[in-house]
Amino acid sequence: MGIKRRHWALAAAPLTLALLTATGCESTPGARAAEPTAAPSTSAARSVAQVCAKPAAGPAKAPAGAVTVDPAVVGDLAAKTRSSPPNTTFWLRPGQHRLDPDRYAQVIPKKGDSYLGAPGAVLDGRKKNQYAFGGTARGVTIGYLTVQGFVAPENEGVVNHDSADGWVIEHATIQYNSGAGLMAGARQQVRASCLRGNGQYGMNAYKSGGRISGLVVEGNEIAGNNRDDWERRRPGCGCTGGVKFWAVDGADVRGNWVHDNRGAGLWADTNNNDFRIEDNVLEANDGAALIYETSYNAVIRDNTIRRNNWVEGRKEAERGDSFPFATVYLSESGGEPRIRARTDKIDVYRNVLENNWSGLTLWENADRFCNSPANTSSGDCTLLVRNTKRCAQPAIARQPLYGDCRWKTQRVDIHGNRFVLDKSVVDCTVKCDRMAVLANYGTYPDWSPYKGERVAQTITHRQHNRWHDNVYLGPWKFVALDPSRILDSGQWQGAPYRQDAGSTFRARDGG
């Protein structure tokens, strides 16, 4: 799965949304507020989908032609699914529905099946069943149903366990399961649902042996996931957070409230492409609000991002790590016109970042490229090289492989954003106030053509990474080339960096 942990030195169905105008809700470092009583306050006065506290009610009566499922009969849902033809609608009566007690007992839908829960309908795995819905049938719908208490193993999911295509999950509550609440297949739509308190991820968008295309994640509340704290159990696994995306080609992630997850809020990792991440509220996640890693071509706009990375950023600072751990972290990711997408750059604009632990970091690991032992995306190569074995000496030392065998942070355009920092709110004195563009000194392996400062010089000066026309309120600092080079705004705007043309700076805390 290419699981990894970042480190600077080595490697690191119509939809009806209930949109509630933001009201005051405060957060403290490390809080696990998965069930808030109010939507978050945002400086941009956005509205967000408050789903978990006020879930939409399903049909109180069985729809015409639907098969009724009885909670008093253990295994009734799976049995009636087996005995019914494709394209059947199942209506689950109010109450606690159970599967057979075997750990592998699950519902295997047929093509086009729909599962609708009445008010109060819950499918409960009772910590005995691993999976709720699996199989490879396409076009399955799950709506108005609570799914809880399942114990999927690490990196596996409870709903759509086998990553079938074309599923629609809407107005569902998927909560308090082990592993991931759900997996994803191509053209999957996850709308107006509550993904809360799951052991590893709210959703793991991963498909074994293939890419996922056309994914929509809209209007959901994604809160308090990674309850099992996988980074503690497997240090450096990089396998935690609200949602993880792997090899997704085309995703719209909009209008979600992603908060209080242990780890990152949203994390796109390894050969993702063509993302639009917009109109979300990302707040109070222990780690970064957003990580976009070894991936391509994205629009990140109109998001409200606040109070993120307080736990992980503070922990690394207290350890003495000088790396600028950021709230929006672009790692070996950039625009690539040769890969088809709705944009040919990473465009970051009209976002509000308020009182996070640092801002944006653009990073490349000079030792991470195809076939390098430092490439923790095990066995993966860039989307520009079909035969990974070509990335070896002597060919890798010459173009085009010299450029195509490594993921590059390039063509990143950061403009029209508002960056607010009040250190008294974040409760920090140092290392929480940085924007950065940098790389490490290349050393490994012996045959690497990227040794020395060449990657650091290139990401800083020659890969068209640009900040401009932003507003800064607070005591911001800037890091360029390597972690030791810390600049003030004048140095950042002056030669040789010439960043943030047209931007304004007000240095006092909070503005």
Side-chain angles (χ1 to χ4, degrees), residues 61-74:
K61 296 182 179 180
V67 173
T68 297
V69 181
D70 187 353
V73 179
V74 174

Side-chain angles (χ1 to χ4, degrees), residues 15 60-61 102 107 139 173 239 247 293 312 408 486 488-489 492:
L15 167 67
K61 296 182 179 180
D102 182 85
V107 181
T173 297
C239 59
E293 181 175 2
E312 292 190 6
K408 290 182 284 188
I486 301 175
D488 62 27
S489 60
W492 177 244

